[in-house]
């Protein structure tokens, strides 16, 4: 260690300050990395949910169309039996 690292400011050495600052920077970097990963994951999930919602809406419209066709066929059959 150099003499610069051994200097003290009211009981606090420069070495202790460097270790504290480096540790704080490391913690901040890891927290920010986790934050941005979670933010990306949430965006991906939201996109996936929107896609699934659109697919479900299309399926519902197709099923409603099929139900309408079947109802018309049933009406036709009922009218055919009446005749």
């Amino acid at each position: 260690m150099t003499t610069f690292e051994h200097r003290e400011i009211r009981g606090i050495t420069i070495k202790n300050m460097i270790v504290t600052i480096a540790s704080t920077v490391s913690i901040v970097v890891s927290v920010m990395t986790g934050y941005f990963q979670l933010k990306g994951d949430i965006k991906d999930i939201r996109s996936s949910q929107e896609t699934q919602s659109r697919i479900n809406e299309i399926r519902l419209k197709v099923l409603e169309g099929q139900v309408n066709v079947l109802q018309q066929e049933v009406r036709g059959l009922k009218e055919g039996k009446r005749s």
Side-chain angles (χ1 to χ4, degrees), residues 38 47 51 77:
L38 287 173
S47 174
T51 302
L77 290 172

Side-chain angles (χ1 to χ4, degrees), residues 32-69:
M32 293 303 292
T33 301
Y35 168 77
F36 286 118
Q37 286 176 348
L38 287 173
K39 187 176 177 182
D41 290 347
I42 289 170
K43 184 177 179 182
D44 291 344
I45 290 170
R46 185 178 296 134
S47 174
S48 175
Q49 286 177 338
E50 288 174 0
T51 302
Q52 189 63 40
S53 177
R54 289 179 186 157
I55 290 170
N56 287 340
E57 288 176 11
I58 291 170
R59 286 180 179 168
L60 181 61
K61 288 179 182 179
V62 168
L63 288 173
E64 287 174 345
Q66 290 174 346
V67 166
N68 286 336
V69 169

Side-chain angles (χ1 to χ4, degrees), residues 8-21:
E8 292 188 19
I9 303 173
R10 295 185 188 160
I12 299 173
T13 63
I14 300 294
K15 181 181 177 183
N16 288 343
M17 289 176 51
I18 291 171
V19 169
T20 302
I21 290 170

